[in-house]
Amino acid sequence: MIGRKKLGERYLTIAETKELLERRKEEGMVENPEEPMFYEARVSLEHAERFAKLSPEKAKELKEKLMELFDWIDDRLASKIVDILPEDYLDIRVIFAKEDYMPTPEEAEEIVKLVDEYRPLD
């Protein structure tokens, strides 16, 4: 895209992305009701609708609590944890497989306990 520059960067959960895309779709309906979103944005919204497990508010809250709980969990890792909602130590190990730090079983248990508080009751 010529003439565009990156103004900033931050990691979003799927739920936050869904909220952002829905807002963009509403704005697009005002501008062009026949085609409110580009193809890529429509596909992204469909993906977010299908895979977002939490509401955007709960996702943000859980992400913040994870970053407060441990110093070594940054925005990117917290977003991954919120999107995946790990159920046990094995899931935590998969998330952290390529990271510099691997949580201990006790730390992973704390993460899972916190995630369980937000896990939807399918």
Side-chain angles (χ1 to χ4, degrees):
M1 297 184 152
I2 298 172
R4 297 200 178 196
K5 63 179 181 177
K6 186 189 320 186
L7 299 175
E9 181 176 292
R10 65 185 176 124
Y11 291 93
L12 298 174
T13 63
I14 293 175
E16 292 170 317
T17 303
K18 177 183 166 192
E19 179 184 49
L20 183 74
L21 289 169
E22 286 173 342
R23 199 170 1 156
R24 179 65 190 118
K25 183 178 181 181
E26 290 171 10
E27 292 170 1
M29 290 297 285
V30 173
E31 296 170 11
N32 183 7
E34 292 179 16
E35 191 172 342
M37 300 177 84
F38 292 113
Y39 171 76
E40 294 84 356
R42 283 196 314 269
V43 171
S44 298
L45 179 57
E46 288 173 18
H47 177 84
E49 288 172 342
R50 187 171 296 141
F51 293 104
K53 298 175 184 175
L54 300 174
S55 70
E57 296 78 27
K58 284 188 175 186
K60 288 176 193 174
E61 188 178 320
L62 176 56
K63 191 165 122 177
E64 289 171 6
K65 284 187 178 183
L66 284 165
M67 290 189 299
E68 288 174 11
L69 186 62
F70 298 105
D71 298 351
W72 45 267
I73 294 182
D74 60 6
D75 199 32
R76 181 178 59 85
L77 288 170
S79 295
K80 278 186 188 181
I81 292 169
V82 171
D83 288 341
I84 295 171
L85 295 177
E87 296 179 3
D88 55 21
Y89 181 56
L90 182 61
D91 291 345
I92 298 287
R93 288 186 54 190
V94 170
I95 293 170
F96 286 87
K98 291 188 175 185
E99 300 300 325
D100 294 333
Y101 182 80
M102 179 63 70
T104 64
E106 294 79 21
E107 291 170 331
E109 188 177 316
E110 285 185 56
I111 293 170
V112 170
K113 279 184 186 177
L114 181 59
V115 168
D116 284 343
E117 292 175 20
Y118 289 87
R119 191 181 313 281
L121 303 170
D122 295 323

